[in-house]
């Protein structure tokens, strides 16, 4: 049975009943901003937010997140609460205020300069600073207080998102012993050799082991986590049950591959609006009808392998000049964490590579790369996904990668080809993609040629199989499986 928002709602009603349900994430599901002196709200477009929002709307729970929007505090009550969705509130968002200093050291510092590079094997040295670590502890404590204020000693369900809150499960368990806690780690877990350089590794692991369920995208990450605990802690990993017992408390380690709202994206892609949008985009970026489009969509992050992809594209045009004047690669890259030097450097590097490629190959009206360095709304994104003949996901390492799945959902004509890095979680589920090693420019260039020369029947066969897979394993299934597991904990 394909899970839907409705079946997820029914599941919640039956499993959660009237127990408090709390979701914790760094990023909030609704952000308040100023527009022309007025306060308005925006919703970050992410599949995760959509699924968890559906979950919250039926559970009438509380979502606790960092209040980072410029107008956030204008609309909250004294305890930081605001009813959401703002146009028709069904649950409450509890905003946690952080000082600039805390945000700097906890978010940009330990979360994104230490844990992010540590968990992604992308050959960037993690930065370990005591100041960052102290802020990380402080913010995790602050969130524990804010959640505990709401649930006290009642039996409740708490669902914690991501690497910003490694310490939170344990801190919460100490304060709320009756709560059932699940944590989902959205990024990879590295092997023990990599993780052991973290100066606060025991505290991080012990923190995570406060949860009842600890979820990763794929079994390989679960395995790495078990091996890491085995090496670093006096804990008992149970390989058979994939669980870890630490001081009498059991944490089940499970793989829950995240996904997207397939039906929504697929419906949008098949609509007449999308066809109109494709025509608008072709005009806007001067993309002729007879040019074949390649596509990359990423946050500008060094783990996504964007420079590697552009270098491979250079090699492709050099090696196969017959495609010059016929293929255009559209790279959509939304700036991310630009406050960090590493990311600012990457932005410059990508701009330089695009400029060089366009300088080297442009001819008449044709240029090899169209670079869109901004956030693109979902309707335009879906139009690009549908219009593309091939998409390239060349992450050096990626927990899952939702762009791959969004591309598949948008390929309603099943003509496109997905080139997918073998170092993404998604590659485990999608053997029908053209899998590749993004570190090898030769291999990526070959895959691009293969995609362009693939027989339409073969492309269709592959795409249809992938569409079936993503339709079935959608975001509602992901959320539902975690919830089912959590509700079974005694
Ligand atoms: P991310 O590293 O952000 O997520 P990804 O899974 O690819 O990576 O999701 C990116 C999302 O941002 C997609 O929904 C995409 O559409 C959107 N996006 C990217 N560029 C955009 C642009 N220019 N304009 C608008 N939207 C854009 C982390 C992990 C992943 C994991 C997810 C979910 O790193 O491995 O898949 O969490 O768990």
């Amino acid at each position: 049975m394909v899970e839907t928002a409705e079946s997820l709602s029914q599941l919640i009603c039956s499993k959660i009943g009237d127990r408090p349900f709390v979701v914790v994430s760094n990023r909030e599901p609704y952000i308040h901003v100023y527009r022309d002196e007025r306060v308005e709200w925006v919703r970050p477009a992410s599949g995760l937010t959509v699924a968890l929002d559906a979950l919250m709307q039926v559970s009438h729970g509380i979502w606790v997140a960092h209040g980072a929007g410029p107008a956030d505090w204008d609309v909250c009550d004294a305890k930081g609460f605001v009813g959401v969705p703002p146009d028709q509130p069904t649950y409450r968002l509890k905003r946690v205020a952080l000082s600039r200093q805390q945000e700097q050291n906890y978010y940009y510092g330990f979360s994104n300069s230490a844990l992010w590079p540590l968990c992604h094997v992308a050959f960037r040295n993690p930065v370990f600073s005591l100041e960052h670590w102290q802020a990380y502890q402080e913010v995790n404590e602050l969130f524990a207080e804010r959640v505990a204020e709401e649930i006290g000693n009642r039996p409740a369900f708490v669902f914690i998102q991501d690497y910003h809150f490694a310490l939170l499960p344990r801190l919460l368990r100490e304060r709320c012993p009756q709560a059932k806690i699940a944590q989902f780690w959205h990024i990879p877990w590295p092997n023990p050799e990599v993780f052991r350089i973290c100066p606060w590794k025991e505290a991080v692991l012990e923190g995570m082991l406060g949860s009842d369920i600890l979820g990763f995208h794929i079994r390989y990450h679960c395995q790495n986590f078990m091996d890491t605990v085995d090496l670093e802690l006096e804990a008992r990993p149970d390989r058979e049950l994939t669980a870890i017992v630490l001081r009498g408390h059991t944490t089940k380690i499970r793989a829950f591959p995240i996904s997207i709202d397939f039906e929504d994206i697929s419906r949008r892609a098949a609509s007449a609006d999308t066809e109109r949008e494709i025509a608008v985009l072709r005009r806007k970026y001067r993309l002729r009808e007879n040019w074949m489009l390649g596509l990359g969509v990423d946050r500008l992050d060094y783990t996504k392998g964007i420079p590697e992809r552009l270098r491979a594209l250079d090699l492709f045009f050099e090696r196969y000049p017959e495609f010059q004047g016929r293929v255009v690669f559209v790279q959509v890259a939304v700036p991310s964490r630009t406050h960090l030097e590493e990311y600012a450097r990457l932005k410059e590097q990508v701009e330089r590579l695009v400029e060089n490629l366009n300088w080297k190959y442009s001819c008449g009206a044709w240029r090899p790369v169209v670079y869109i360095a901004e956030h693109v709304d979902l309707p335009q994104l879906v139009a690009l996904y549908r219009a593309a003949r091939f998409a390239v996901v060349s992450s050096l390492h990626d927990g899952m990668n939702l762009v791959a799945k969004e591309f598949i959902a948008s390929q309603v004509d099943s003509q496109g080809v997905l080139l997918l890095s073998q170092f993404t979680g998604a590659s485990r589920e999608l053997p029908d993609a053209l899998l590749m090693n993004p570190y090898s420019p030769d291999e990526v260039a070959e895959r691009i040629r293969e995609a362009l020369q693939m027989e339409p029947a073969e492309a269709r066969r592959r795409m249809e199989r992938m569409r079936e897979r993503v339709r079935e394993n959608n975001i509602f299934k992901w959320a539902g499986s975690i919830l089912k597991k959590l509700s079974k904990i005694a």
Side-chain angles (χ1 to χ4, degrees):
M1 194 190 79
V2 174
E3 298 275 3
T4 59
E6 290 73 45
S7 61
L8 180 60
S9 308
Q10 285 163 9
L11 182 84
I12 291 162
C13 294
S14 70
K15 300 288 180 198
I16 295 185
D18 52 10
R19 275 172 288 186
F21 182 67
V22 181
V23 164
V24 185
S25 67
N26 174 68
R27 195 156 188 219
E28 38 185 355
Y30 297 89
I31 302 172
H32 284 86
V33 294
Y34 294 111
R35 202 162 285 153
D36 304 329
E37 301 296 307
R38 277 201 333 270
V39 173
E40 289 186 3
W41 56 274
V42 289
R43 201 174 164 197
S46 95
L48 176 71
T49 316
V50 173
L52 294 180
D53 194 65
L55 218 132
M56 294 305 287
Q57 294 206 25
V58 281
S59 67
H60 308 295
I62 299 172
W63 189 318
V64 183
H66 171 207
D72 272 1
W73 299 94
D74 288 14
V75 296
C76 292
D77 67 15
K79 283 183 77 190
F81 278 112
V82 56
V84 290
D87 51 350
Q88 215 174 14
T90 50
Y91 70 94
R92 292 182 303 160
L93 168 62
K94 183 175 187 174
R95 288 176 166 149
V96 179
L98 297 184
S99 67
R100 221 4 92 76
Q101 192 67 14
Q102 280 174 324
E103 189 181 353
Q104 169 69 28
N105 291 337
Y106 136 84
Y107 178 76
Y108 288 103
F110 195 70
S111 299
N112 284 312
S113 302
L115 284 178
W116 180 268
L118 183 67
C119 290
H120 288 91
V121 179
F123 305 99
R124 296 296 196 287
N125 276 352
V127 176
F128 296 116
S129 132
L130 185 59
E131 208 185 352
H132 294 174
W133 170 242
Q134 283 163 344
Y136 188 83
Q137 291 171 291
E138 198 177 290
V139 171
N140 273 249
E141 294 263 359
L142 185 61
F143 271 77
E145 287 301 324
R146 293 292 170 270
V147 176
E149 279 165 13
E150 300 310 318
I151 56 178
N153 203 18
R154 287 180 294 165
F157 289 97
V158 183
F159 187 16
I160 301 168
Q161 307 301 313
D162 235 348
Y163 62 99
H164 312 91
F165 298 114
L167 310 179
L168 186 54
R170 173 148 312 280
L171 295 170
L172 257 184
R173 178 157 307 286
E174 286 161 9
R175 289 167 174 78
C176 313
Q178 299 241 50
K180 291 180 181 182
I181 304 170
Q183 178 166 44
F184 191 79
W185 196 261
H186 290 260
I187 62 177
W189 190 271
N191 68 43
E193 291 303 309
V194 171
F195 190 74
R196 71 177 182 176
I197 65 168
C198 177
W200 304 288
K201 54 194 174 188
E202 292 90 356
V204 167
L205 295 171
E206 291 197 8
M208 294 168 78
L209 289 174
S211 55
D212 297 292
I213 305 277
L214 174 58
F216 295 96
H217 291 297
I218 57 172
R219 294 234 323 256
Y220 179 58
H221 300 154
C222 297
Q223 220 48 58
N224 278 346
F225 184 81
M226 302 272 298
D227 293 347
T228 307
V229 171
D230 207 3
L231 188 75
E232 304 295 352
L233 296 184
E234 290 291 323
R236 196 157 44 81
D238 185 329
R239 301 270 165 190
E240 225 136 89
L241 296 175
T242 49
I244 291 166
V245 184
L246 178 66
R247 293 192 283 276
H249 173 72
T250 304
T251 304
K252 293 192 168 145
I253 317 295
R254 291 286 182 281
F256 302 99
I258 204 169
S259 192
I260 54 164
D261 185 349
F262 178 91
E263 296 298 343
D264 176 57
I265 294 187
S266 190
R267 216 174 10 247
R268 282 171 187 268
S271 71
D273 282 352
T274 294
E275 277 171 27
R276 273 192 294 277
E277 195 62 60
I278 293 175
V280 170
L281 290 168
R282 281 205 181 261
R283 264 198 310 279
K284 179 171 176 189
Y285 296 108
R286 286 175 283 121
L287 296 163
R288 290 189 186 159
E289 279 295 327
N290 58 335
W291 290 345
M292 292 180 283
L293 303 186
L295 180 66
V297 175
D298 312 81
R299 275 188 311 102
L300 253 175
D301 193 294
Y302 54 83
T303 59
K304 303 294 178 185
I306 306 169
E308 288 75 5
R309 180 184 316 171
L310 293 170
R311 284 192 206 104
L313 198 66
D314 190 357
L315 192 64
F316 163 76
F317 281 120
E318 198 172 287
R319 201 175 275 173
Y320 304 106
E322 63 273 26
F323 287 108
Q324 291 179 26
R326 292 172 56 209
V327 174
V328 177
F329 192 78
V330 179
Q331 176 63 56
V332 187
V334 59
S336 174
R337 306 174 195 164
T338 33
H339 184 54
L340 293 177
E341 210 181 304
E342 187 77 40
Y343 286 74
R345 259 205 308 274
L346 173 73
K347 186 165 170 284
E348 274 170 33
Q349 186 191 14
V350 169
E351 282 163 3
R352 214 176 36 247
L353 282 163
V354 170
E355 204 177 289
N356 286 347
L357 263 158
N358 282 341
W359 180 82
K360 188 167 167 189
Y361 297 105
S362 287
C363 183
W366 178 81
R367 62 207 188 292
V369 184
V370 167
Y371 184 53
I372 307 173
E374 59 192 17
H375 177 88
V376 173
D377 288 338
L378 194 59
Q380 283 95 49
L381 211 52
V382 169
L384 286 168
Y385 283 137
R386 182 171 169 193
R389 175 70 180 270
F390 67 98
V392 184
V393 172
S394 55
S395 311
L396 306 180
H397 202 186
D398 217 328
M400 175 53 67
N401 193 282
L402 294 178
V403 168
K405 295 187 173 181
E406 290 167 357
F407 172 66
I408 291 168
S410 307
Q411 280 289 314
V412 284
D413 313 304
S414 295
Q415 285 168 347
V417 179
L418 173 64
L419 278 70
L420 182 60
S421 157
Q422 67 196 71
F423 308 125
T424 59
S427 68
R428 311 286 167 124
E429 278 178 84
L430 302 170
D432 285 299
L434 290 184
L435 299 182
M436 61 187 191
N437 175 353
Y439 286 96
S440 161
D442 296 85
E443 198 174 316
V444 179
E446 277 315 303
R447 293 286 173 271
I448 295 176
R449 182 197 53 77
E450 226 175 286
L452 288 164
Q453 293 179 338
M454 189 178 285
E455 287 297 327
E458 168 72 2
R460 177 177 294 277
R461 250 195 316 275
R462 286 171 179 261
M463 188 50 79
E464 280 173 358
R465 279 198 294 256
M466 292 196 285
R467 285 178 66 77
E468 228 13 79
R469 192 81 194 239
V470 182
R471 172 181 286 123
E472 208 169 293
N473 294 332
N474 62 22
I475 184 75
F476 303 110
K477 186 165 174 186
W478 173 81
S481 325
I482 298 176
L483 215 67
K484 274 188 220 158
K485 265 272 167 308
L486 192 59
S487 68
K488 280 196 197 132
I489 303 285

